[in-house]
Amino acid sequence: MNKFLNVLFICVIALCVISTVSASDTPDNATISPTIGSSYQISSDLSNDEIQTMFDNAQDGDEFVFTDKEYKNISLVVDKKLNIVSNKNSKIHTLDQITDRAKNLGLSNSFGFYFTSHSSGSILSGLTIISNSDYGVVVDSSDNTTIRNVVVQNGKTGILVKNSNNVGVLFNNISKVTGNGIHLENVKRSTISKNTVSYSKRSGIHLSNIYYCNVTNNTVHHNGFNGISLFNKTTGNIIKYNLAYENPNGIYINSISSYDVINANTFTNNKRHTDYELGAFESGNGLLFGADFKTAKEGSSSRLEVKYNVLTHNEGYQAKNNPELPVFKLGDNWFDSTDDANTFVCPMLLAGIMKMGTFSIKNGIGLQMYDTNGKAVNEFGTFDIKVNINGNQYTAKFVNGKAIIDANLDPDTEYEVEVMIGGKPVKYTYKTAYGDKNDGPDSSTSTSPDGNHGNSGTKPDDSLNNDNGASKGGNSDNGTSKSAHFANSMNFGVYGTNASGLYQDSSDNGDSALTNGDTNAGDSNEGEQSEEGEAYEIVPPSKISKEITDTSGLVVLSIVSIMGMIIYGYWRKPEIEN
């Protein structure tokens, strides 16, 4: 009996040890579970003051669900981490006055929702804001806050983000405001993506003093000042895959720029405005540099990079420099032309002209964009082009530098192909491929009409990943524009004349890091180069993640083995002693 009790005691001790080991292996964040917030229903019979009181009495992480279709006279301060949502696309009519709660914070402008520095991590989603206020939504010193799937109509400014980090402005629709649609001021490491901004009286997206931000996949059209505007200092920002059309200018760059990248955008069909505030001849451009634009000289890694953009059918220039600035060398871009005579680039800009070629696929035709070095480009703006194959008309859409037309062609057969480039048909002799694949590798014999090819880029990612990296580009050089200004509308078969001529070197041999500007073009608190792979995430990852190799099982197995050996030895002890 004593032997049995001793063995039982050993087993209990071993089990306690195993439990202790298992508990110690648990990740630290699992022992401190985040509090699940309460959820509150907000009905339309509640007054603004009653809703504000609920917000003020809430705990961090609480959720407020707007359950009815329409709410009147709303102006709410969010001073905690709250999730404010609607699953019914509730319409919020904002108050046109400043509430007592706002006055107590020292605010002097009216708004629909105001996120303070205590609201970091909040989410606003699913609401339609009919604004009668200065601002539809304000995010002020509120880090990690997300404005998502929100519609803002009317009012002065749609969404204002200032003095904040890691903010997400995603999938929103802003229209008919009298100011800027989306306005960012002193913002770092934030993502502005998948938004549509239209019919604002100012810029669709206004960027001032922004650092290491992503401005990607936005559509801005029919805005009164510019599609996208950059002012003051801009450092390490990625501006890619945006579509800007029917604005006075597609993008207006008037900042001190360091490590910025403006690649793979489509700036097209932007119109001249006779009453444009900078002057009629400063409108109608795909890309326009302002008088305050400055960047590093050619060869510097911090120089602004502008390449692989689609700059077509703009009524002014496809790209235009300010006459007070030195000549600037762009990277390779597409100007809806295969030669330098018809790209219509300002004489104070030097431009690399991308080319178009073909590659073979089964039963169809493949079109590929190339840069001036003959390499295929797969980071590129999106546009449509007309193609004639044996008398049949097709519309090809370029995505990621490539267009595929499934024309049900016979394999291993030559066809005469006409591609409409710059209002003129360009002819190719094209041979289809054998095999079962729908698209084949780039043909080594594929040529653009003038025999040139073009450069590889990076495959665009439709997620909200930040692929910031050091930008590379050309330089600035002193020069003056002496060319006339030509009309460049869709009604013309040829879209102007490229006064820049061929791509050529124009280094200014300057000693300063910035041509005509400050040595430090960035924020003194930021590093010189943006970080790769940083992504804005609505739900941040756990700070302490469990390792892939979990050693707790080995520890437990070892203890069990030791326990077995002890028990076996204990049972054998009398035999050994005998």
Side-chain angles (χ1 to χ4, degrees):
M1 184 65 179
N2 288 337
K3 183 181 290 187
F4 174 77
L5 291 175
N6 289 335
V7 171
L8 181 62
F9 177 75
I10 292 171
C11 291
V12 170
I13 294 299
L15 288 173
C16 290
V17 173
I18 292 172
S19 299
T20 303
V21 171
S22 298
S24 65
D25 189 63
T26 303
D28 292 347
N29 61 331
T31 63
I32 308 175
S33 300
T35 303
I36 299 175
S38 301
S39 182
Y40 300 93
Q41 308 290 305
I42 304 296
S43 60
S44 58
D45 58 353
L46 293 171
S47 68
N48 186 75
D49 288 343
E50 289 173 324
I51 300 172
Q52 184 66 69
T53 299
M54 294 175 69
F55 279 17
D56 292 342
N57 292 332
Q59 301 295 317
D60 280 347
D62 284 354
E63 180 182 67
F64 288 85
V65 182
F66 284 76
T67 57
D68 292 339
K69 290 188 175 181
E70 198 162 21
Y71 297 77
K72 302 286 188 180
N73 298 320
I74 297 297
S75 180
L76 297 166
V77 173
V78 184
D79 205 30
K80 295 190 172 86
K81 178 184 176 181
L82 303 179
N83 295 339
I84 303 167
V85 301
S86 172
N87 297 323
K88 295 185 177 179
N89 194 28
S90 299
K91 283 189 177 181
I92 307 295
H93 296 266
T94 69
L95 186 65
D96 61 355
Q97 301 175 8
I98 303 171
T99 64
D100 291 338
R101 183 73 169 84
K103 290 178 182 177
N104 291 336
L105 292 175
L107 304 178
S108 56
N109 296 104
S110 58
F111 51 82
F113 292 88
Y114 195 104
F115 291 84
T116 73
S117 59
H118 301 295
S119 69
S120 294
S122 293
I123 295 174
L124 181 69
S125 178
L127 298 170
T128 293
I129 299 173
I130 310 300
S131 180
N132 304 297
S133 311
D134 295 321
Y135 302 100
V137 180
V138 179
V139 178
D140 183 4
S141 305
S142 179
D143 297 341
N144 304 303
T145 293
T146 301
I147 311 300
R148 183 185 183 96
N149 289 320
V150 171
V151 174
V152 181
Q153 297 176 354
N154 306 329
K156 292 185 179 179
T157 298
I159 298 174
L160 169 65
V161 182
K162 61 180 182 178
N163 309 319
S164 302
N165 303 323
N166 298 309
V167 173
V169 181
L170 315 169
F171 298 97
N172 303 293
N173 192 312
I174 297 96
S175 63
K176 300 178 181 178
V177 299
T178 60
N180 297 313
I182 298 173
H183 184 120
L184 270 64
E185 187 88 30
N186 192 25
V187 174
K188 299 176 183 177
R189 304 187 187 280
S190 295
T191 298
I192 314 302
S193 186
K194 304 291 184 69
N195 302 286
T196 299
V197 187
S198 61
Y199 297 98
S200 70
K201 293 293 181 65
R202 298 294 298 168
S203 293
I205 300 175
H206 175 105
L207 308 170
S208 175
N209 291 325
I210 65 166
Y211 309 92
Y212 308 100
C213 292
N214 275 357
V215 181
T216 60
N217 295 289
N218 299 287
T219 299
V220 287
H221 63 92
H222 292 93
N223 297 289
F225 187 47
N226 302 298
I228 301 172
S229 295
L230 282 68
F231 292 97
N232 296 314
K233 287 185 178 181
T234 57
T235 300
N237 302 290
I238 297 293
I239 301 176
K240 288 184 178 180
Y241 313 124
N242 299 288
L243 171 61
Y245 64 93
E246 297 281 355
N247 309 284
N249 295 296
I251 186 167
Y252 178 58
I253 308 169
N254 199 34
S255 63
I256 299 174
S257 172
S258 297
Y259 297 103
D260 290 325
V261 170
I262 302 177
N263 291 354
N265 302 281
T266 301
F267 303 125
T268 185
N269 289 290
N270 294 288
K271 305 298 183 183
R272 185 177 299 165
H273 287 219
T274 56
D275 57 349
Y276 186 62
E277 66 179 71
L278 300 180
F281 288 111
E282 296 301 297
S283 65
N285 306 293
L287 180 151
L288 175 67
F289 289 108
D292 293 330
F293 166 69
K294 298 178 181 67
T295 194
K297 64 180 181 179
E298 184 179 2
S300 171
S301 62
S302 64
R303 186 179 185 271
L304 170 68
E305 177 177 282
V306 182
K307 68 179 182 181
Y308 302 157
N309 298 288
V310 175
L311 294 155
T312 61
H313 308 313
N314 298 289
E315 281 191 339
Y317 287 102
Q318 308 305 341
K320 185 177 186 295
N321 202 355
N322 188 284
E324 299 177 4
L325 297 179
V327 171
F328 184 84
K329 184 186 290 186
L330 302 172
D332 295 347
N333 295 276
W334 175 249
F335 302 101
D336 199 21
S337 176
T338 57
D339 62 83
D340 65 306
N342 297 312
T343 55
F344 204 75
V345 174
C346 164
M348 296 193 59
L349 292 174
L350 302 176
I353 304 169
M354 297 178 67
K355 306 299 180 182
M356 186 186 300
T358 64
F359 64 94
S360 295
I361 62 172
K362 183 184 177 184
N363 300 330
I365 180 172
L367 298 174
Q368 174 68 57
M369 300 304 300
Y370 297 89
D371 76 355
T372 54
N373 293 320
K375 296 181 181 179
V377 171
N378 59 10
E379 178 187 74
F380 185 63
T382 299
F383 74 104
D384 294 343
I385 197 163
K386 298 293 184 183
V387 180
N388 185 315
I389 306 174
N390 279 13
N392 295 316
Q393 294 287 336
Y394 299 89
T395 298
K397 179 178 285 295
F398 272 90
V399 179
N400 303 342
K402 184 180 294 186
I404 304 295
I405 302 174
D406 185 3
N408 195 27
L409 305 179
D410 294 331
D412 197 31
T413 302
E414 285 192 353
Y415 289 87
E416 291 298 319
V417 176
E418 286 186 351
V419 182
M420 297 301 295
I421 299 177
K424 297 179 178 180
V426 178
K427 294 183 178 182
Y428 297 82
T429 298
Y430 174 79
K431 189 173 184 178
T432 53
Y434 275 123
D436 296 328
K437 294 182 180 180
N438 285 329
D439 66 3
D442 290 352
S443 171
S444 60
T445 59
S446 299
T447 60
S448 62
D450 57 3
N452 291 327
H453 296 281
N455 204 329
S456 65
T458 327
K459 186 176 181 180
D461 184 357
D462 199 37
S463 70
L464 303 181
N465 287 344
N466 182 338
D467 54 355
N468 284 341
S471 62
K472 298 179 177 13
N475 78 308
S476 301
D477 185 19
N478 291 325
T480 44
S481 173
K482 298 181 180 179
S483 71
H485 192 90
F486 302 97
N488 187 27
S489 70
M490 288 286 289
N491 296 326
F492 287 78
V494 177
Y495 301 99
T497 301
N498 180 21
S500 67
L502 298 175
Y503 210 29
Q504 53 187 293
D505 187 11
S506 62
S507 68
D508 66 349
N509 299 317
D511 295 326
S512 61
L514 286 173
T515 300
N516 215 16
D518 300 329
T519 300
N520 178 17
D523 185 359
S524 60
N525 295 325
E526 294 291 340
E528 287 188 344
Q529 188 167 337
S530 56
E531 298 178 0
E532 287 202 30
E534 181 180 279
Y536 178 82
E537 293 181 340
I538 295 173
V539 181
S542 171
K543 291 183 180 179
I544 304 176
S545 58
K546 193 172 184 179
E547 293 183 2
I548 296 175
T549 305
D550 193 342
T551 60
S552 61
L554 293 175
V555 175
V556 172
L557 182 61
S558 300
I559 293 174
V560 171
S561 300
I562 293 170
M563 181 184 72
M565 293 171 63
I566 292 173
I567 295 172
Y568 178 75
Y570 190 85
W571 281 108
R572 289 288 308 277
K573 183 178 180 183
E575 299 177 8
I576 295 171
E577 290 175 349
N578 290 335

